[in-house]
Amino acid sequence: MNPRRALVTGGAGFLGSHLCDALLANGYAVVAVDNLLTGRLANIEHLRNDSRFEFIQRDACESHLRGSVDYVFHFASPASPVDYAAHGIETLKAGSYGTFEALETSRRCGASFMMASTSECYGDPLVHPQTESYWGHVNPIGPRSVYDEAKRFAEAVTMAYHRYHKVDTRILRIFNTYGPRMQINDGRVIPNFMCQALRGENLTVYGDGSQTRSFCYVSDEIEGIMRLARRSEHLPVNIGNPTEFTILECARHVLAITGSTSRIQFEPLPQDDPKQRCPDISKARQLLGWEPKVDLESGLRLSLEYFRTAVQEERTRAV
Ligand code: NAD
Ligand code: UDP
């Protein structure tokens, strides 16, 4: 019997490439579609000789593939605030045309579907911690709207394909996830702080650093994704770590783990930067029997070697 086949859009990205690994480990053949806008071939280099893995360099807004798949994971989209600010129109297209295309593939193949949504759907939340039933507080015309509204639209399209076309859909609301294979220059807080600390540069804390985030290590996130993939839950599910840190606390953890003598430098807070973010994961706990296992300190330690090597490679390239 042929193995089940999964399509992962955004498969050369940080999360997409880890998802490809997990699917292969679970017996799937995997097709990764990625236009390399923010992803890298290096993330999937180790899969090059795996006969069950195929990479197609293509925009997810275009027709994906010939042949059939059993599962579609739609992860293609710029994800960091710096990336989606640089690629605003592409981000809106990945969430709209890209989601339609991925859902059409699911519909044509009778495949199950999951879309990577985000805690950004809650915007700058007025409810804390955020439960899936909260509709959010999003500025529809601010600088983050290209991402937030694209994802909210993608959720609406996903629910519509479930309601009108009976596609077996899932909506995964991912909260800040970090780990090896993140781009070191995508501007997200963990790669920024880790690389700044390892280069001996000041850590750039935006605002007064009192805004909060809750950081999930990549192995926990992927385990949550795989568990959700096996369930027929069509309404959104939060997958993230519910331990909340201020950004200043996060900076201090990075300094401690890297042993760096870098200092903290305060810089202006970007517009509409959410003041607090923490997932309520009661639904994931009950539905999936899932909760994260890796705390921030351990996750930063597990990521240290990756960021150290990346910074060294950067130095070598500069020489
Ligand atoms: P990433 O930038 O590493 O990965 C995104 C991938 O999508 C990249 O490889 C990029 O080249 C690809 N891509 C972008 N537009 C594309 C297009 N039109 N066609 C084909 N490929 C395209 O980011 P990530 O952190 O791995 O995020 C993956 C998904 O998870 C995204 O949809 C993101 O919105 C979602 N997400 C991530 C986080 C997080 O904390 N990492 C949080 C919330 C949601
Ligand atoms: N941040 C920071 N310094 C940085 C990068 C980010 O203080 O060098 C802050 C940012 O303002 C936000 C938080 O860290 O409050 C998380 O930012 P990130 O870009 O990782 O993701 P977000 O959760 O905002 O999408």
Side-chain angles (χ1 to χ4, degrees):
M1 201 177 95
N2 286 334
R4 283 163 62 78
R5 190 166 179 242
L7 166 66
V8 180
T9 73
F14 160 53
L15 284 179
S17 64
H18 284 284
L19 177 59
C20 290
D21 290 347
L23 288 165
L24 288 162
N26 277 267
Y28 275 86
V30 175
V31 188
V33 168
D34 200 301
N35 64 358
L36 303 179
L37 180 66
T38 58
R40 294 177 304 141
L41 286 178
N43 288 341
I44 48 171
E45 173 63 27
H46 60 291
L47 302 176
R48 206 153 60 124
N49 295 325
D50 189 328
S51 59
R52 297 171 307 148
F53 181 74
E54 183 187 350
F55 175 67
I56 303 175
Q57 186 171 342
R58 189 175 297 164
D59 195 311
C61 302
E62 292 164 18
S63 176
H64 293 134
L65 78 168
R66 285 184 218 97
S68 197
V69 289
D70 304 288
Y71 220 120
V72 176
F73 294 86
H74 181 42
F75 276 57
S77 169
S80 89
V82 167
D83 283 342
Y84 60 71
H87 305 291
I89 305 291
E90 292 89 337
T91 305
L92 283 160
K93 286 185 175 173
S96 53
Y97 300 125
T99 305
F100 270 113
E101 188 55 47
L103 278 158
E104 275 300 319
T105 301
S106 289
R107 184 184 176 201
R108 174 175 62 78
C109 299
S112 297
F113 178 88
M114 180 188 288
M115 74 144 292
S117 187
T118 168
S119 51
E120 283 286 320
C121 286
Y122 303 119
D124 190 4
L126 304 178
V127 166
H128 195 72
Q130 292 80 55
T131 52
E132 289 88 348
S133 56
Y134 177 48
W135 291 355
H137 179 233
V138 174
N139 177 352
I141 53 165
R144 298 175 84 102
S145 64
V146 290
Y147 183 67
D148 300 7
E149 296 296 10
K151 290 291 183 179
R152 286 165 68 96
F153 181 78
E155 288 198 1
V157 183
T158 301
M159 285 310 298
Y161 267 68
H162 174 63
R163 292 196 178 107
Y164 295 104
H165 295 314
K166 310 288 175 243
V167 176
D168 177 28
T169 57
R170 287 147 199 80
I171 296 173
L172 158 77
R173 288 196 183 140
I174 304 171
F175 283 64
N176 297 64
T177 301
Y178 69 99
R181 298 190 200 158
M182 292 185 97
Q183 295 174 78
I184 63 166
N185 58 353
D186 79 3
R188 287 187 268 196
V189 67
I190 301 268
N192 264 16
F193 285 175
M194 289 294 269
C195 294
Q196 288 164 341
L198 292 166
R199 294 187 199 114
E201 296 170 355
N202 291 345
L203 270 59
T204 51
V205 169
Y206 302 156
D208 62 5
S210 63
Q211 71 272 32
T212 68
R213 293 295 186 272
S214 310
F215 299 103
C216 189
Y217 187 65
V218 61
S219 59
D220 281 333
E221 187 67 43
I222 295 293
E223 177 62 26
I225 293 172
M226 293 302 289
R227 288 191 189 206
L228 178 59
R230 292 182 203 112
R231 299 300 298 259
S232 278
E233 170 62 29
H234 308 299
L235 297 176
V237 181
N238 290 339
I239 300 284
N241 191 311
T243 310
E244 192 179 357
F245 294 89
T246 66
I247 293 305
L248 205 48
E249 286 170 338
C250 172
R252 293 194 177 119
H253 274 285
V254 168
L255 289 177
I257 272 134
T258 52
S260 170
T261 54
S262 293
R263 290 164 183 271
I264 288 171
Q265 171 182 321
F266 293 94
E267 293 197 351
L269 189 67
Q271 188 190 330
D272 296 341
D273 197 289
K275 283 180 269 314
Q276 51 183 2
R277 185 182 294 153
C278 178
D280 181 321
I281 61 162
S282 311
K283 184 170 178 181
R285 278 198 177 103
Q286 278 157 22
L287 182 75
L288 313 175
W290 173 88
E291 60 182 4
K293 295 194 173 67
V294 183
D295 62 22
L296 181 60
E297 197 182 317
S298 313
L300 290 176
R301 274 187 213 294
L302 288 167
S303 310
L304 184 58
E305 202 43 48
Y306 168 76
F307 286 113
R308 207 192 289 283
T309 306
V311 166
Q312 268 161 10
E313 283 171 1
E314 180 186 58
R315 253 186 225 134
T316 315
R317 277 197 304 273
V319 174

